[in-house]
Amino acid sequence: MVKVFNLGDIVETRKEHPCGSKTWEVIRLGADIKIKCTGCGRIVMLPRAKFEKSVKRIIKSAVEENSDLT
């Protein structure tokens, strides 16, 4: 199953970040994905395969927000 992510999505990961937050914002897409912790602001870059395994669910989709604005 191919998961589709967009810039600005807020995702929940399976493991907690050391700051205690489980939510991350997607800030770069490609072969590697860059995410930013919503708790402390730390930025991490992961290979796409590892990122897809670590994501539990998409909490807030950026596409839904943009469609509401039009």
Side-chain angles (χ1 to χ4, degrees):
M1 181 175 147
V2 177
K3 297 180 183 176
V4 178
F5 299 101
N6 298 296
L7 287 177
D9 284 357
I10 306 293
V11 296
E12 180 182 357
T13 55
R14 298 186 187 280
K15 290 186 177 181
E16 267 187 8
H17 188 245
C19 74
S21 176
K22 281 187 155 188
T23 58
W24 298 79
E25 179 184 0
V26 177
I27 58 174
R28 181 185 180 276
L29 293 170
D32 294 325
I33 296 183
K34 192 179 279 190
I35 54 178
K36 180 179 179 180
C37 179
T38 58
C40 66
R42 171 75 68 181
I43 295 175
V44 178
M45 186 177 258
L46 300 168
R48 181 176 282 272
K50 186 172 182 178
F51 173 75
E52 288 179 353
K53 287 180 184 177
S54 69
V55 171
K56 193 173 188 179
R57 64 187 176 111
I58 298 174
I59 295 175
K60 193 175 189 183
S61 178
V63 172
E64 292 173 4
E65 289 177 11
N66 290 339
S67 64
D68 291 343
L69 297 175
T70 57

